[in-house]
Amino acid sequence: MSSSIASSPEPGSRLHAESRPSRYSGQTALVTGGGSGIGEAIARRLAAEGAHVVIVDVSLEAARRCAEQIAGEGGTAEALACDVADAEQVRRVIELPARLDVLVNSAGIAHIGNVEQTLPADMDRIYQVNVKGVYHCLHFALPRMREQGGRAILNLASIASKVGIADRFAYSMSKGAVLAMTLSVARDYVHAGIRCNCVCPARVHTPFVDGFLAKNYPTQRDERLHKLSAYQPIGRMGKPAEIAALAAFLCSDEAAFITGSAYDIDGGVTLLR
């Protein structure tokens, strides 16, 4: 496990300290899966609003790239390599920041297949990252957060935790567990001043989606992209920045009366189910 620190750039950067919103001024936020996709967007949004962000990702290169982008936008961040499926790696990462105000559990992996097509090894792999990974972060972070007076936790669930999605057996299982853990933590730590919520996105257009299409449908990219977009009644996939905007609200003091909630951000998918 290694790290790098990105410091604030010179004045005149695209989003420097004087113009940055300050909902998170003086706070430290740790974002798992922060090196790409939704996690990256959340890390950048929290940094833009004044947080010092600890970017945790299985890829140190991706985490460093995000930290550098944050520095270029006038924020501060540090990059740490960590496999959230490994309890000892998570324990060490959680202990590193001087304080911990916000935890965002965004790290996760996908799997396609129904129950017959899902092999035991597939189930174990999804469980280790999407379920045990969230558990590890909660297990080691909550004592620190409780000692410091509490703040906010946000977990990345999915509409798959609420509605049936074809050929997503293992993934849906894991996101259902994330929703259940969210409710449990919210109930157990409400008197410690720690709020815990989750967001439930539908399909979001991330680099993972582009990579999946390029690998599996190189000659049908546009057709498949249209199909993925049309799944949402609003007619398109979500944007990582849109998920980040909701995350930034839910983890802020403006959402101080919200805990134990699962927010759909799905372009109307659950509305029509």
Side-chain angles (χ1 to χ4, degrees):
M1 182 179 67
S2 57
S3 66
S4 69
I5 302 223
S7 58
S8 299
E10 294 296 322
S13 64
R14 192 152 51 89
L15 184 61
H16 53 78
E18 288 78 7
S19 63
R20 187 168 57 221
S22 57
R23 283 195 292 192
Y24 292 93
S25 180
Q27 296 185 38
T28 296
L30 188 148
V31 181
T32 70
S36 63
I38 294 173
E40 177 187 351
I42 292 173
R44 293 175 67 179
R45 178 62 183 257
L46 296 180
E49 296 201 26
H52 173 73
V53 182
V54 181
I55 303 162
V56 174
D57 200 280
V58 69
S59 167
L60 181 58
E61 180 183 359
R64 283 176 170 165
R65 183 172 61 248
C66 181
E68 290 169 359
Q69 290 173 328
I70 287 172
E73 294 165 356
T76 65
E78 55 190 293
L80 301 174
C82 175
D83 179 356
V84 295
D86 187 313
E88 182 58 24
Q89 287 189 38
V90 174
R91 183 190 66 78
R92 293 200 302 267
V93 161
I94 294 294
E95 289 179 352
L96 284 175
R99 61 177 296 108
L100 182 58
D101 300 288
V102 173
L103 170 66
V104 178
N105 286 308
S106 181
I109 57 176
H111 181 263
I112 297 174
N114 61 30
V115 65
E116 295 179 77
Q117 297 162 336
T118 301
L119 302 177
D122 299 325
M123 198 71 169
D124 289 344
R125 181 175 62 93
I126 291 292
Y127 181 79
Q128 286 297 321
V129 177
N130 292 8
V131 180
K132 287 289 288 294
V134 174
Y135 157 73
H136 290 151
C137 293
L138 293 170
H139 178 75
F140 292 112
L142 275 162
R144 290 204 64 191
M145 297 179 75
R146 185 180 61 235
E147 290 170 6
Q148 295 171 359
R151 278 290 183 175
I153 295 171
L154 185 72
N155 299 321
L156 265 292
S158 166
I159 59 166
S161 64
K162 297 185 175 185
V163 301
I165 298 178
D167 298 324
R168 296 295 188 278
F169 176 78
Y171 181 77
S172 296
M173 171 279 300
S174 70
K175 293 305 182 178
V178 170
L179 173 57
M181 285 189 283
T182 298
L183 299 176
S184 182
V185 168
R187 180 64 185 86
D188 289 341
Y189 291 87
V190 65
H191 297 301
I194 298 172
R195 299 182 300 105
C196 186
N197 296 291
C198 66
V199 294
C200 300
R203 291 193 171 107
V204 179
H205 196 165
T206 65
F208 172 83
V209 171
D210 290 329
F212 174 81
L213 293 176
K215 178 181 178 181
N216 296 282
Y217 304 100
T219 63
Q220 300 175 293
R221 180 188 179 279
D222 291 344
E223 176 186 342
R224 290 287 174 169
L225 189 61
H226 175 75
K227 184 176 180 180
L228 290 173
S229 299
Y231 181 77
Q232 288 75 218
I234 208 167
R236 64 174 176 85
M237 286 184 277
K239 302 174 184 177
E242 292 172 323
I243 313 302
L246 178 57
F249 166 70
L250 288 173
C251 292
S252 75
D253 289 342
E254 291 182 90
F257 199 57
I258 301 173
T259 192
S261 293
Y263 276 77
D264 299 331
I265 179 165
D266 63 3
V269 171
T270 52
L271 176 68
L272 301 184
R273 289 299 185 271

